[in-house]
Structure formats: structure tokens, C-alpha cells
Amino acid sequence: MIKSIYVLVGVLFSMQVFAQTGIGTSTPDPSAKLHVASTDKGLLIPRMTSGQRTAISNPANGLMVYQTDGVTGFYVNTGSSGTPSWTRVNTDWTKSGNDISFSGGNVSITGNQTVSGNVNATNFTGSGSQLTDVAIKTTGTWNVATGESDYSFTVTSGSYVMWVFANIPNGIIAWNATVTVTNSNVPVVGSHYAWVYNGGGTPIEFISIPNQITGTNNSIVRSTISGSTSNVFTFKIKNTSGSSQAVYYGYIRL
């Protein structure tokens, strides 16, 4: 019995001296308090539901569990024991070089964001009031029937790059502009040009393009807009191809 007590005391003394425990290894890493080694098994931490996780009384900062329902995964308390803040450790964000992408769904922004690189997105939802220096692209399609008809798009105040184009057999139309719109009743300062290609006859062409764009470098322009609003860009397009044609338009707010 005395010999057994000596052995137990020796074990406890050695654990206090080395302050390390090895499971599956007799040489735990010096930096580890607990070193678990295995080549065919893993470490299984406590598994519980979301309700069980939030019911943990005074969880320590850094406490980790695995949640088995809802959004499953590892959760860590990044708050205090009195005010827990459970954060999921996830792999929805993927980093590749200097790029990072999110594959888990929508990204919501409630505060101000500072971005020094490019942000690519299919759609932005919301007013965008917290976004600055963002180029917002809008595109659309006009289904141009045969004959002559007016087609238009409307923008708010700001600076834009704009375009309209169509490419059909034996006919191409193209219009580009760089403009600044101040409000809906004054001329638009900027420049634009239109181009028409007729490979055989005139299957599609511009009859008129927006008339509110005025201004050239180093000049003073006096102009009035009557009978129209200058933030509406209207095109009269003639289609004699014999069938409806798709004409594409778009603009980027700078």
C-alpha cells in the first residue's frame, strides 16, 4: 500500500512539474497543455442543439461546442461569461491569393464599409446610401418592334457612362455617352456619339438620339430644354428587318 502511494505521488508530482498531458503519445509537444495523438481517430468535442448551447450557464470565453441543429458547426464564445457571444467557425468564406469570396448566401451590410479594391456582385439590394465611390451598373433590353418607336431610360442626378447597341444581320447601331446629370430640367453636360452600320439596306437605325446633351471643352454653352426632362434619355429607333429585334442599353453611375 505504501509503495502504491509513493507511485501515485510520483505521478502527480511529475504532472505538476511538466504541466503537460499526452494521450496517444509519450512526448507531448512542449507548447501543449494537452496533446492528443492518433492516426485513425479524431477529437470529438461536446455536441448539442442551439437551445442547449445558449442554456450553458456562464460559459467561459473561448468555450467551444459543436451545434447539431439550425446552422450546424463549431461555435466559440467570443464574449464574456456574463455576456456570451457565440460565433460560428465557418468555411463559407474562401480565400484565394488576394481574393476572398462568399458562397453561403447573401452578404448584408449595416454599417459603413471601406474597400480599396474591386467589389463584384450580380445584384445590390437596398438604397446603397452607405456605399461611396461605387460604380453601379444597370442594363436592360428593348424589344424593338418593326416600324419607328421611341425607347428611353431614366436616371437620377450623377455622372454616368451610357450605351445603346444592337447587332443584327446586316445592321448595327451603337451609341455611347459620358454625361453629368444635375436634375430633371436643365441640359446635361457631356459628350456622346452614335454609329450606324448598314450592310444591306437599313434594317435598323437611329432616327434620333437624346438632344439634351450639350457642352464641349473650353466653351460656354447656353441652352434650354423644353417639352422634355433631361434625365430621360430617349431614342427613336427604326426597325425594317421584318421582325422584332433586341436592342441593349445600360449605364454605369460613376
Side-chain angles (χ1 to χ4, degrees):
M1 177 64 70
I2 295 177
K3 182 177 181 181
S4 299
I5 294 175
Y6 286 158
V7 172
L8 178 59
V9 171
V11 171
L12 293 175
F13 178 76
S14 64
M15 290 179 64
Q16 290 180 349
V17 170
F18 293 103
Q20 294 171 272
T21 301
I23 299 177
T25 177
S26 59
T27 56
D29 190 280
S31 65
K33 180 69 174 177
L34 173 64
H35 184 163
V36 180
S38 178
T39 58
D40 59 356
K41 293 180 176 62
L43 177 66
L44 190 63
I45 71 169
R47 302 162 65 85
M48 62 189 67
T49 65
S50 173
Q52 292 169 332
R53 170 176 58 78
T54 56
I56 296 175
S57 178
N58 297 319
N61 174 262
L63 187 70
M64 176 181 282
V65 300
Y66 185 86
Q67 182 174 305
T68 56
D69 66 344
V71 182
T72 62
F74 293 98
Y75 284 77
V76 179
N77 179 22
T78 57
S80 64
S81 59
T83 309
S85 178
W86 292 99
T87 303
R88 185 170 71 94
V89 180
N90 68 79
T91 58
D92 297 332
W93 290 97
T94 303
K95 187 177 186 300
S96 177
N98 292 325
D99 299 329
I100 186 170
S101 60
F102 181 73
S103 59
N106 298 322
V107 178
S108 299
I109 299 175
T110 57
N112 296 322
Q113 306 298 309
T114 301
V115 180
S116 59
N118 296 323
V119 177
N120 296 320
T122 302
N123 293 296
F124 281 103
T125 302
S127 65
S129 60
Q130 295 165 329
L131 301 176
T132 59
D133 299 325
V134 176
I136 301 176
K137 180 180 180 181
T138 301
T139 59
T141 304
W142 296 320
N143 187 27
V144 176
T146 56
E148 293 183 12
S149 299
D150 288 341
Y151 301 88
S152 64
F153 57 81
T154 303
V155 300
T156 58
S157 299
S159 297
Y160 296 86
V161 173
M162 302 174 169
W163 62 89
V164 172
F165 73 92
N167 187 352
I168 68 173
N170 299 319
I172 302 173
I173 58 174
W175 173 85
N176 291 89
T178 302
V179 301
T180 297
V181 179
T182 54
N183 56 50
S184 62
N185 58 6
V186 299
V188 174
V189 178
S191 62
H192 65 150
Y193 70 90
W195 180 75
V196 177
Y197 167 74
N198 297 316
T202 54
I204 192 166
E205 62 179 322
F206 288 122
I207 300 302
S208 66
I209 59 176
N211 65 354
Q212 71 264 43
I213 301 176
T214 63
T216 57
N217 290 335
N218 302 317
S219 67
I220 299 175
V221 176
R222 293 180 175 87
S223 180
T224 59
I225 299 295
S226 60
S228 65
T229 52
S230 59
N231 64 329
V232 180
F233 293 80
T234 302
F235 304 79
K236 185 179 289 295
I237 301 175
K238 183 178 182 180
N239 175 13
T240 59
S241 67
S243 61
S244 296
Q245 300 294 337
V247 176
Y248 304 97
Y249 70 90
Y251 49 88
I252 298 176
R253 182 169 182 173
L254 306 176

